[in-house]
Amino acid sequence: MNYFVEFLNSVKRGQVSPVYLFYGEETYLKEQAVLRLKEHLAGGDRSGLNFDLVDGETVAPAEIAARAETLPFLAGKRLVVVKNPAFLQPAGKTGDGPAGDEKGAKSSGKESPLLKYLENPPSSTCLVFVAGESVDRRRRLFQAIKKCGQAVEFTFLSRGELTRWLVQKAGAEGRRFAAGAADALLDAAGPSLQTLVLELEKLFSYTAGQKFITVEDVRAVCPPGPEENIFAVVDAVGNRRCGEALAGIKDMLAAREPPLRILAMITRQFRLLLQVRELLEQGCPPGRIPDRLGVHPYTARKAVLQCKNFGRSFLIGALQSLLEIDVAVKGGRQDFYPAVETFLLKLCAGSKGDDNGGQKRTGI
């Protein structure tokens, strides 16, 4: 959250960079940052004559540079926002190997008008690139933006920051979260503020006239997403609650999740548990696991807790069984649900054993 607060404070002080690059997984805060710039730069001008919104996937860099060089009309600054700039995407998305290098070279040629613009961007325009989750930091364009402006990565907020944000939003509406309700909402909606905003709106409507938002309210309005269902399935397995594990699978099937996607998600979770377990055994601090595995801190915390229920050999056996189910289902030799049901029954029977015993008892 600090990166966003620092940005807001600089805008309030009137310290607006000539060029920004906003990228990262937190979409809602990116949109809010653009909105704050628009409000600050527009002042009393509501005509929209000094605001340009450009599609970076279809508009050529030369045209973007030309729009940015246009002088403001009866105002101090123009704001030009470029959404989804294709020329900042990671290199792998434009091809790998020699062919990819050739495309990258051609792209650099197309970007030259923007590179020239960034050598000395005019103070009369604020040019903002709004990219997706990742950008290619090796590109000359990225380096040029950092040199003359700011590149801000919008990461998901921590669990504590999200909780405080929810409490603040509820308070602004005259509401309060009952014990466990904020956690239940975060478990169901995940770390994306964009999703949380939508879920909060539904909760406020559902609980109109109530002062407190309860866990029951959250469960009635905000059904858990696929990832949270997978967490619930694995939690149930670790505690030998096979009925709950199967109920989680049924919920995902009822939500029309494709069976093979569910299987892939289960496999991914057990693979993550094995990776986390091995890192912990190697002495890796839990706080460093998100960076080592490239996962969100919330996901890593859940995995650290869950992997304690399973031995290493047990997890390897589970992954082998999941591979066999995948091959059998794709080959038409087994139906998805009966195969997964048998798998989960075996897991629940052996998940609490020691490192080797679990695998022997479950037969996987």
Side-chain angles (χ1 to χ4, degrees), residues 189-207:
S192 168
L193 283 177
Q194 194 168 49
T195 303
L196 283 169
V197 167
L198 296 174
E199 297 302 327
L200 264 181
E201 289 177 357
K202 291 192 292 184
L203 269 174
F204 290 154
S205 297
Y206 182 77
T207 59

Side-chain angles (χ1 to χ4, degrees), residues 171-340:
E173 296 289 328
R175 310 291 186 83
R176 293 178 63 183
F177 283 100
D183 282 332
L185 178 55
L186 289 174
D187 288 345
S192 168
L193 283 177
Q194 194 168 49
T195 303
L196 283 169
V197 167
L198 296 174
E199 297 302 327
L200 264 181
E201 289 177 357
K202 291 192 292 184
L203 269 174
F204 290 154
S205 297
Y206 182 77
T207 59
Q210 295 179 206
K211 183 176 180 180
F212 287 93
I213 298 171
T214 67
V215 173
E216 290 72 24
D217 294 329
V218 173
R219 289 175 177 167
V221 175
C222 312
E227 183 179 17
E228 190 55 38
N229 269 321
I230 291 300
F231 282 137
V233 167
V234 177
D235 272 336
V237 169
N239 291 289
R240 291 184 176 181
R241 298 194 298 264
C242 189
E244 288 185 25
L246 290 170
I249 299 295
K250 289 177 181 177
D251 286 343
M252 284 186 280
L253 288 171
R256 298 189 177 180
E257 282 290 335
L260 289 177
R261 174 174 165 77
I262 296 173
L263 190 60
M265 291 164 62
I266 296 173
T267 303
R268 176 186 177 276
Q269 185 65 12
F270 277 101
R271 186 183 300 115
L272 176 63
L273 294 181
L274 179 60
Q275 291 172 324
V276 169
R277 183 177 179 84
E278 290 182 339
L279 285 174
L280 291 173
E281 289 175 352
Q282 293 167 13
C284 178
R288 295 186 59 188
I289 287 176
D291 289 335
R292 290 288 299 271
L293 297 181
V295 298
H296 189 267
Y298 169 71
T299 302
R301 282 195 298 272
K302 294 282 284 188
V304 167
L305 292 173
Q306 288 183 339
C307 75
K308 296 175 183 178
N309 286 325
F310 307 100
R312 184 176 183 276
S313 297
F314 180 90
L315 291 170
I316 292 173
L319 286 169
Q320 180 61 40
S321 293
L322 286 165
L323 175 61
E324 292 170 0
I325 292 172
D326 182 69
V327 172
V329 171
K330 287 178 178 176
R333 297 193 303 276
Q334 278 186 298
D335 290 330
F336 169 76
Y337 186 79
V340 171

